[in-house]
Amino acid sequence: MSEEDLKEEVIRAIKTVYDPEIPVDVYELGLIYDLKVFPINNVFVSMTLTSPSCPSAGTLPGEVEQKIREVEGVNDVSVELTFDPPYTTEMMSEEAKLELGFM
C-alpha cells in the first residue's frame, strides 16, 4: 500500500471518532491539524479539541490513536494534542457546517 493510500485509510479511521457532544466526526469538525505518514508507515497526527476544558480531553486523542492503530499496515502512531492555533468553527468542513446549521 502506498503512503497516499495508507493516509486515506487513516483518514477513514479518524472519521469514525466523534466528539460525544457534537454529532460530527473529529476530522470534519476540523480538530485534525496535521496528518503525516512517514517511511515504514509511522503515522503522526497533530490535533486539538473544541476548547482546552473539553470534557473529552482525556479520551478523544486516545480514541484517535486507537482507531489509527487498527488500520492494516500502520506500524506506529503518535498523536500530539495542541491548542495553537486555538480552535474556531471556521475550521469545520462545509459538510460539518451544514450538519450543525452554520450555513
Side-chain angles (χ1 to χ4, degrees):
M1 180 182 309
S2 73
E3 283 184 24
E4 193 57 41
D5 290 339
L6 184 59
K7 186 174 184 177
E8 287 177 26
E9 290 298 316
V10 167
I11 290 170
R12 252 185 240 121
I14 291 171
K15 285 184 172 189
T16 67
V17 179
Y18 284 76
D19 184 310
E21 298 177 344
I22 304 169
V24 176
D25 70 78
V26 297
Y27 190 85
E28 297 298 335
L29 205 50
L31 299 182
I32 305 300
Y33 283 174
D34 194 16
L35 169 61
K36 293 183 176 131
V37 176
F38 293 104
I40 65 168
N41 298 341
N42 290 338
V43 178
F44 169 79
V45 173
S46 176
M47 67 176 291
T48 194
L49 302 170
T50 53
S51 79
S53 60
C54 176
S56 300
T59 59
L60 277 180
E63 191 174 346
V64 168
E65 181 178 343
Q66 176 188 345
K67 293 295 184 179
I68 294 170
R69 285 189 186 281
E70 292 172 3
V71 174
E72 187 175 333
V74 168
N75 183 45
D76 197 17
V77 180
S78 175
V79 175
E80 176 183 276
L81 188 60
T82 184
F83 294 100
D84 186 30
Y87 177 79
T88 69
T89 56
E90 295 302 311
M91 296 171 174
M92 287 191 279
S93 69
E94 298 293 314
E95 179 182 315
K97 288 177 183 176
L98 281 170
E99 178 73 27
L100 297 174
F102 284 89
M103 293 183 72

